[in-house]
Amino acid sequence: MSVKIRLGIIGGGGDSLIGILHRVASSMFDKYEISGGVFNPNFEDNMLFANKLGLNEDRVYKDFDTFIAEEIKLPIAKRIQVVSVLTPNFLHFPMVNALLQNGFHVICEKPMTTTYKEAKTLYATLQKAKTVFAVTYTYTGYPMVRQMREMILNGEIGNVQKIDAQYYQGWINPIIHDKEQRASTWRLNPEKSGISCCIGDIGTHAFNMLEYVSGVKIESILADLNHVYDDNPMDVDGTILLRASNNVKGVICASQIATGEENSFVVKVYGDKAGLKWEQENPNYLYLMEDGKPLQVLKPGHVYNSKLSLDGTKLPAGHPEGIFDSMGNIYKGIARAINKEPYNAGEFPTIIDGIRGMDFIRKAVASHKKQNVWVAIDEH
Ligand SMILES: NC(=O)c1ccc[n+]([C@@H]2O[C@H](COP(=O)([O-])OP(=O)(O)OC[C@H]3O[C@@H](n4cnc5c(N)ncnc54)[C@H](O)[C@@H]3O)[C@@H](O)[C@H]2O)c1
């Protein structure tokens, strides 16, 4: 009998952006097998796609409710154990809540929900369910991001004194300037996306990443957002000042109208001894900057890297690690948690990261609406 974890997938069909990342990531360390799911709300497309993946048709369900109803009838040894929820944002909460209530482990795409209230409800449900829950802030799985975290945790840059993340994309530029298109994409529809587009989609990555690598907790923020058009209900750009403990201050700049930019996510943390810089479009380089010394470039797979970083490197140094590897490392950590094996707290983002992300979104929007005032982030 297979010892792999039985994985179900909701959303992430052939027409989706993120589905392939999860499918490849789940296969990377031979820990999971995709056992079934609902890949598309249209049953014909759903089945066509499932056939392409070679899945057993009995486990491809017509909709989410049928998925749960049929799966829980199966003996535990056959039942899907963990479900990846890869649908548009507004479906995360009802689906994840029902999955947890029915005893499934869950891997949820970010942003975790569309409101903070939903995020808190999920937290309460999870306390009762006692299953494993992860939210996929994908970039935290990169070996050199993990190295950055470990070096800072070990005091290698001294006391953190400044944090800075810039996440620039340009993809919404043609959509935002077309009245019809900006009214029809789900990402600019608050009912489907939540109250924020840019900050909800990529600003949350930046917020989570800064806390992940620096160990600093952001305590309050001041946001200036841009909707570009008055008929557009959602931000597509924002600059957010940050205040954290120990007089650490910083900034998050996020944009989907940074024309020509692809996925330029740059993270910088400066301590009183050294600075570290990482760029998503060149993820195999971690730059170590020190006063009066030449720039050092650290790379994956070398003995000088931490155990957590090396755990995510599959081939000898010189074989670049990319976004698929990063998500693969997150899936690997989740598999350890499901199998009740020991794991490092840095291996996958948790419900607390999801809640803090949702609080960050609502506080950014509140700060902007109140004409750019400081707003506190709740303690979690
Ligand atoms: N971690 C990351 O870096 C990252 C990157 C991109 C997207 N995302 C997140 O992933 C999620 C999906 O984004 P996307 O860009 O892939 O969206 P998408 O619109 O490209 O794909 C959504 C998929 O969900 C399916 N779907 C919709 N309703 C469904 C339902 N009721 N039942 C089953 N399937 C359904 C669609 O058919 C489609 O296959 C979003 O929450 C987004 O924020 C995360």
Side-chain angles (χ1 to χ4, degrees):
M1 209 180 89
S2 167
V3 291
K4 289 188 181 175
I5 296 167
R6 294 175 298 281
L7 170 70
I9 296 183
I10 310 291
D15 56 341
S16 76
L17 184 154
I18 209 71
I20 187 161
L21 184 54
H22 286 260
R23 291 195 304 280
V24 173
S26 68
S27 70
M28 205 167 260
F29 292 96
D30 307 310
K31 299 283 183 197
Y32 300 86
E33 62 182 344
I34 301 175
S35 304
V38 188
F39 301 93
N40 201 290
N42 173 307
F43 190 58
E44 205 178 313
D45 291 343
N46 184 19
M47 202 46 99
L48 270 175
F49 186 64
N51 284 335
K52 217 172 123 184
L53 299 183
L55 298 184
N56 180 346
E57 291 192 358
D58 295 350
R59 306 288 284 277
V60 184
Y61 301 106
K62 75 175 167 60
D63 56 31
F64 175 73
D65 291 342
T66 314
F67 172 98
I68 295 220
E70 293 302 318
E71 280 295 320
I72 57 172
K73 284 184 197 159
L74 297 172
I76 287 183
K78 282 201 167 167
R79 195 181 299 167
I80 283 172
Q81 293 163 273
V82 57
V83 182
S84 294
V85 176
L86 316 180
T87 53
N89 305 350
F90 73 104
L91 293 168
H92 295 178
F93 171 71
M95 289 177 168
V96 173
N97 207 34
L99 287 164
L100 294 176
Q101 282 168 344
N102 282 282
F104 294 93
H105 305 293
V106 175
I107 299 169
C108 177
E109 258 305 344
K110 46 53 55 185
M112 189 169 78
T113 53
T114 51
T115 67
Y116 181 70
K117 195 170 164 220
E118 289 171 349
K120 297 286 272 187
T121 305
L122 282 193
Y123 180 82
T125 308
L126 184 63
Q127 298 316 299
K128 286 190 201 140
K130 296 189 171 39
T131 54
V132 175
F133 177 88
V135 56
T136 46
Y137 287 112
T138 319
Y139 307 112
T140 59
Y142 276 108
M144 297 325 285
V145 167
R146 293 180 167 192
Q147 177 64 16
M148 188 171 181
R149 170 183 166 95
E150 295 273 293
M151 286 174 75
I152 296 172
L153 267 177
N154 292 337
E156 291 181 46
I157 66 165
N159 292 321
V160 173
Q161 55 194 17
K162 180 161 180 78
I163 53 177
D164 180 314
Q166 174 197 290
Y167 199 154
Y168 280 178
Q169 300 178 332
W171 68 271
I172 221 164
N173 195 45
I175 295 172
I176 199 79
H177 299 300
D178 181 313
K179 205 173 170 60
E180 232 168 71
Q181 281 197 63
R182 72 172 174 264
S184 60
T185 169
W186 70 259
R187 290 183 179 280
L188 288 174
N189 176 348
E191 277 171 25
K192 299 205 162 163
S193 212
I195 55 172
S196 161
C197 180
C198 176
I199 301 307
D201 192 27
I202 58 176
T204 41
H205 274 297
F207 178 85
N208 177 260
M209 178 63 93
L210 284 178
E211 292 200 332
Y212 178 79
V213 291
S214 73
V216 156
K217 288 277 174 244
I218 295 165
E219 292 177 342
S220 57
I221 62 172
L222 182 151
D224 188 25
L225 310 182
N226 193 354
H227 293 208
V228 179
Y229 290 100
D230 291 342
D231 67 359
N232 167 30
M234 313 278 274
D235 56 274
V236 290
D237 174 275
T239 305
I240 303 179
L241 301 181
L242 313 169
R243 284 182 186 158
S245 49
N246 299 330
N247 291 332
V248 176
K249 295 195 179 186
V251 63
I252 288 174
C253 298
S255 186
Q256 292 164 325
I257 51 161
T259 311
E261 292 283 7
E262 294 172 332
N263 201 40
S264 178
F265 184 19
V266 183
V267 184
K268 293 175 268 191
V269 178
Y270 302 95
D272 54 11
K273 286 194 200 146
L276 282 168
K277 176 164 69 175
W278 176 83
E279 300 168 341
Q280 201 282 146
E281 291 184 357
N282 280 307
N284 292 282
Y285 300 144
L286 176 63
Y287 301 97
L288 174 62
M289 301 165 286
E290 291 170 277
D291 284 335
K293 287 194 187 167
L295 175 71
Q296 286 190 61
V297 184
L298 284 69
K299 295 176 69 189
H302 290 282
V303 288
Y304 55 69
N305 285 311
S306 67
K307 199 171 154 218
L308 178 64
S309 174
L310 288 170
D311 184 58
T313 308
K314 294 168 288 306
L315 290 170
H319 296 87
E321 303 282 331
I323 187 77
F324 288 91
D325 306 278
S326 184
M327 187 71 104
N329 291 336
I330 290 175
Y331 266 78
K332 185 185 188 181
I334 298 165
R336 285 183 173 133
I338 291 172
N339 289 332
K340 299 196 177 351
E341 294 163 11
Y343 62 95
N344 183 307
E347 286 193 58
F348 61 89
T350 66
I351 189 121
I352 298 296
D353 297 298
I355 293 177
R356 287 185 67 75
M358 292 313 301
D359 198 27
F360 168 69
I361 296 168
R362 71 174 183 147
K363 299 291 171 55
V365 170
S367 165
H368 175 74
K369 277 194 178 154
K370 288 180 189 160
Q371 303 200 324
N372 323 108
V373 295
W374 285 98
V375 182
I377 299 287
D378 288 355
E379 274 179 37
H380 296 286

